[in-house]
């Protein structure tokens, strides 16, 4: 068949619109290769032309000659078994035989199915939020739209960082210096050197300068005798005063080389290198700044400063004193078996009452409408009407005691109440209370009707008894012993009862009948106790020279421990109106302290020692045995082992 060639030139448009000419094969246009090599261009551009493009040389590529007519097509259809799967590729101009997979894909697409054989369009749907609670729920939820959008906050942050880098505010990290640094340990402390700027530098210890014994020609007193040489050789090297034997040579030429010179230098270098030097941080503190700022004693007046009166008359040590509520009279009890009543202002002994035993404790009733004094000696407590002061009060007191009527049913009591008769009555004794054991202390309740007494006994539950004078009734408040009771005290306002044992002070609520607090005194042995008139503070004296101040609102441990006395404390007392408290000790002194308690709960008490009062002479290693304040004046009374009572005003 003759190949038809058209001599018609293509229009310029046809040439320009053949964008893939650069991709033409060099073999295009030859009879051996009839494939279309013009590239991926639309073939309809050349449907009216005999050629289909141009090769690299610019020559036309003619369309392949199709020699098949209808008859050839029919014969091919009948004879060729793959005719049905053969398709004509217009791009390359060749016939292409489809594989089984491609045929199957065509069938699936014709039927409207998915192209992928393995795809199951009827898979069970996965519920992202199922009712089953999984331990590690893994969702297959598609990503949110916002995860593809760049964060504006991050963009703003990056912008700020870029601006800071531009301005030089943020500097890139310097590369680490890998070269090792060396310091001259013994460099001079020059400010220009590294060590000068290094504040913790400590210079090497200086060597001791050589002494006379290290000379080659020491004075004869430095040379050791034979005995000293023997002793030196027998000593351990570390115990020797010098590490060598001093020797004498006539001249420097005769000195042998030091045998252990290298070794000594080596040890010296080791000392320098391994010496555990440390810098002691010395703080320049003014010693006056360490002392707490306390007010001057002049600003805290009034308080007792001078000894005004001495009450002489007792022949033995005076164990206890007490002042009347009016402040006019003073009672003292002594080991000479007498109780003396004194007039405070004149030191005159108005009355002496003899009893059959050493008086351990006296206590004037705080009720001003009654004139009663409780005296304890041996196993007896005597309630005595001294007959001093207002005659009406004295007669009212006698009338009160005589008006008592015995109840019809009287219970048995551990204490026996009897009325004083005969000469005892004439001396002023009104009621006599016989106890099973020796009574050491008596103290009144603030109202003047109840009286507590202490009978120390470690193994007994009957150590504290409380008497009601108006009903002549005695009760034992405690069922079991909590230790040896030293002293007791009533709360001045509230129904509380303080019981001091050797180590603890227990505070009981008398209405609820229960223990409310247990104060730890941090002392070995409590000797005395006093309660502040406000009721929220307690002081305890002890035999180990300490005075403990307790703030009941603050803690069960002492707020302050005062160690002003050199010997055991025997008595402590608070003033009723002034912010004063005093302590008497075996060192013969009474120390008066200013103890201000503020109404503001947030402000701690101010405790300032203001005066040391001396006057008592120490007798049989005993000094001041009891202290008591005047009810209205800033005066303090003290009784001592020298048999005197002294008033400091």
């Amino acid at each position: 068949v003759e190949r038809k060639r058209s001599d018609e030139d293509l229009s310029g448009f046809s040439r320009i619109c053949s964008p893939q000419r650069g991709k033409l094969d060099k073999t295009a246009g030859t009879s051996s290769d009839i494939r279309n090599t013009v590239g991926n261009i639309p073939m309809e551009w050349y449907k009216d032309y005999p050629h289909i493009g141009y090769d690299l040389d610019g020559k036309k590529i003619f369309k392949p000659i199709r020699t098949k007519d209808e008859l050839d097509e029919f014969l091919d259809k009948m004879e060729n078994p793959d005719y049905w799967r053969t398709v004509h590729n217009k791009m390359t101009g060749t016939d292409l035989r489809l594989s089984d997979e491609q045929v199957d894909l065509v069938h699936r697409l014709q039927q409207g199915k998915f192209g992928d054989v393995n795809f199951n369009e009827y898979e069970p749907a996965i519920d992202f939020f199922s009712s089953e609670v999984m331990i590690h729920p893994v969702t297959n939820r598609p990503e949110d739209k916002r995860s593809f959008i760049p964060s504006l906050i991050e963009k703003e942050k990056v912008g700020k960082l870029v601006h800071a880098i531009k301005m030089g505010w943020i500097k890139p990290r310097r590369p680490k210096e890998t070269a090792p640094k060396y310091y001259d340990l013994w460099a001079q402390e020059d400010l220009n050197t590294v060590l000068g700027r290094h504040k913790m530098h400590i210079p090497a210890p200086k060597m001791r300068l050589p002494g006379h014994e290290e000379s080659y020609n020491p004075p004869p007193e430095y040379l050791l005798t034979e005995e000293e040489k023997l002793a030196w050789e027998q000593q351990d090297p570390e115990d020797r005063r010098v590490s060598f034997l001093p020797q004498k040579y006539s001249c420097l030429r005769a000195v042998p080389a030091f045998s252990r010179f290298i070794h000594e230098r080596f040890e010296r270098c080791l000392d320098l290198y391994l010496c555990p030097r440390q810098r002691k941080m010395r703080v320049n503190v003014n010693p006056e700044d360490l002392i707490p700022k306390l007010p001057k004693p002049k600003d805290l007046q009034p308080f007792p400063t001078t000894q005004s009166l001495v009450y002489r008359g007792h022949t033995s040590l005076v164990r206890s004193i007490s002042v009347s509520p009016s402040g006019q009279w003073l009672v003292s009890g002594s080991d000479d078996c007498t109780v003396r009543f004194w007039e405070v202002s004149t030191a005159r002994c108005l009355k002496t009452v003899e009893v059959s035993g050493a008086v351990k404790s006296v206590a004037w009733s705080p009720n001003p409408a009654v004139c009663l004094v409780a005296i304890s000696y041996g196993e007896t407590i005597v309630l005595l009407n001294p007959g001093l002061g207002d005659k009406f009060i004295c007669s009212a007191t006698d009338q009160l005691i005589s008006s008592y009527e015995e109840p019809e049913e009287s219970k048995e009591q551990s204490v026996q109440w009897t009325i004083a008769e005969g000469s005892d009555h004439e001396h002023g004794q009104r009621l006599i209370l016989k106890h099973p054991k020796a009574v050491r202390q008596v103290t009144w309740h603030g109202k003047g009707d109840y009286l507590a007494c202490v009978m120390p006994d470690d193994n007994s539950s009957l150590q504290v008894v409380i008497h009601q004078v108006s009903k002549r009734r005695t009760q034992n408040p405690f069922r079991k012993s909590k230790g040896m009771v030293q002293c007791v005290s009533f709360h001045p306002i509230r129904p509380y009862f303080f019981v001091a044992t050797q180590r603890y002070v227990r505070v009981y609520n008398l209405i609820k009948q229960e223990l409310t607090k247990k104060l730890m005194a941090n002392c070995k042995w409590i000797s005395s106790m006093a309660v502040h008139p406000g009721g929220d503070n307690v002081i305890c004296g002890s035999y180990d020279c300490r005075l403990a101040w307790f703030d009941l609102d603050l803690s069960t441990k002492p707020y302050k421990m005062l160690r002003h006395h050199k010997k055991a404390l025997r008595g402590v007392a608070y003033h009723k109106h002034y912010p004063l408290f005093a302590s008497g000790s075996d060192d013969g002194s009474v120390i008066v302290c200013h103890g201000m308690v503020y109404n503001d709960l947030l402000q701690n008490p101010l405790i300032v020692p203001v005066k040391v009062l001396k006057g008592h002479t120490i007798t049989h290693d005993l000094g001041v045995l009891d202290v008591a304040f005047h009810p209205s004046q800033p005066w303090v009374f003290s009784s001592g082992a020298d048999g005197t009572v002294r008033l400091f005003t």
Side-chain angles (χ1 to χ4, degrees), residues 309-318 332-342 347-354 640 642-646:
L309 292 171
V310 181
Y311 302 80
R312 301 185 190 277
H314 286 292
T315 57
S316 183
L317 49 92
V318 183
S332 60
S334 168
D335 274 16
D336 60 3
C337 306
T338 62
V339 175
R340 288 178 180 265
F341 293 90
W342 313 83
R348 187 160 63 99
C349 181
L350 297 170
K351 190 170 188 176
T352 303
V353 178
E354 292 187 4
D642 55 356
T644 63
V645 179
R646 293 169 192 264

Side-chain angles (χ1 to χ4, degrees), residues 107-131:
H107 285 317
R108 291 177 64 81
L109 292 173
Q110 283 175 343
Q111 293 169 9
K113 294 181 180 178
F114 286 93
D116 190 2
V117 185
N118 300 320
F119 182 75
N120 180 15
E121 64 267 33
Y122 302 114
E123 277 183 351
I126 297 171
D127 189 5
F128 293 131
F129 305 100
S130 63
S131 60

Side-chain angles (χ1 to χ4, degrees), residues 439-460:
V439 179
R440 178 169 156 184
Q441 184 214 358
V442 287
T443 181
W444 288 93
H445 185 263
K447 297 282 177 64
D449 190 27
Y450 287 93
L451 182 73
C453 65
V454 178
M455 300 174 285
D457 186 356
D458 210 358
N459 302 318
S460 170

Side-chain angles (χ1 to χ4, degrees), residues 156-264:
E156 195 179 338
K157 273 188 186 173
V158 171
K160 282 183 181 176
L161 289 171
V162 169
H163 179 63
I165 291 168
K166 275 183 187 173
M167 298 297 289
W169 301 332
I170 297 177
K171 290 178 181 172
R173 288 195 186 118
R174 289 180 185 172
K176 287 187 179 177
E177 293 178 11
T178 53
K181 288 183 181 179
Y182 299 106
Y183 294 104
D184 179 8
L185 282 175
W186 318 126
Q188 293 297 318
E189 290 192 18
D190 184 14
L191 289 174
N192 298 324
T193 60
V194 178
L195 241 64
R197 296 190 295 273
H198 183 52
K199 295 291 183 198
M200 293 305 290
H201 167 64
I202 299 165
K206 300 276 192 299
M207 271 189 82
R208 190 176 65 86
L209 293 172
H212 289 302
E213 68 268 13
E214 294 179 60
S215 168
Y216 73 95
N217 186 13
E221 62 264 22
Y222 286 99
L223 296 173
L224 301 181
T225 60
E226 291 298 324
E227 293 85 6
E228 287 173 336
K229 277 184 186 175
L230 272 172
W232 185 86
E233 285 165 1
Q234 286 169 3
Q235 277 180 326
D236 292 329
E238 59 266 16
D239 294 337
R240 291 169 182 167
R241 192 177 61 83
V242 287
S243 57
F244 60 93
L245 281 170
Q247 288 178 313
K248 188 166 186 169
Y249 299 97
S250 58
C251 60
L252 196 56
R253 229 178 17 252
V255 180
F258 183 34
S259 56
R260 289 173 55 81
F261 178 76
I262 301 294
H263 187 268
E264 193 267 343

Side-chain angles (χ1 to χ4, degrees), residues 37 43 46 63-64 85 122 149 152 166 204 250 254 282 357 362 384 398 454 461 513 525 571 585 603 619:
T37 57
M43 288 293 113
Y46 294 96
K63 290 179 183 175
R85 64 165 67 189
Y122 302 114
I149 300 170
L152 290 173
K166 275 183 187 173
S250 58
R282 285 201 179 90
V362 292
L384 191 128
D398 289 343
V454 178
S461 62
Q513 298 184 357
W525 198 312
S585 165
Q603 198 166 358
T619 312

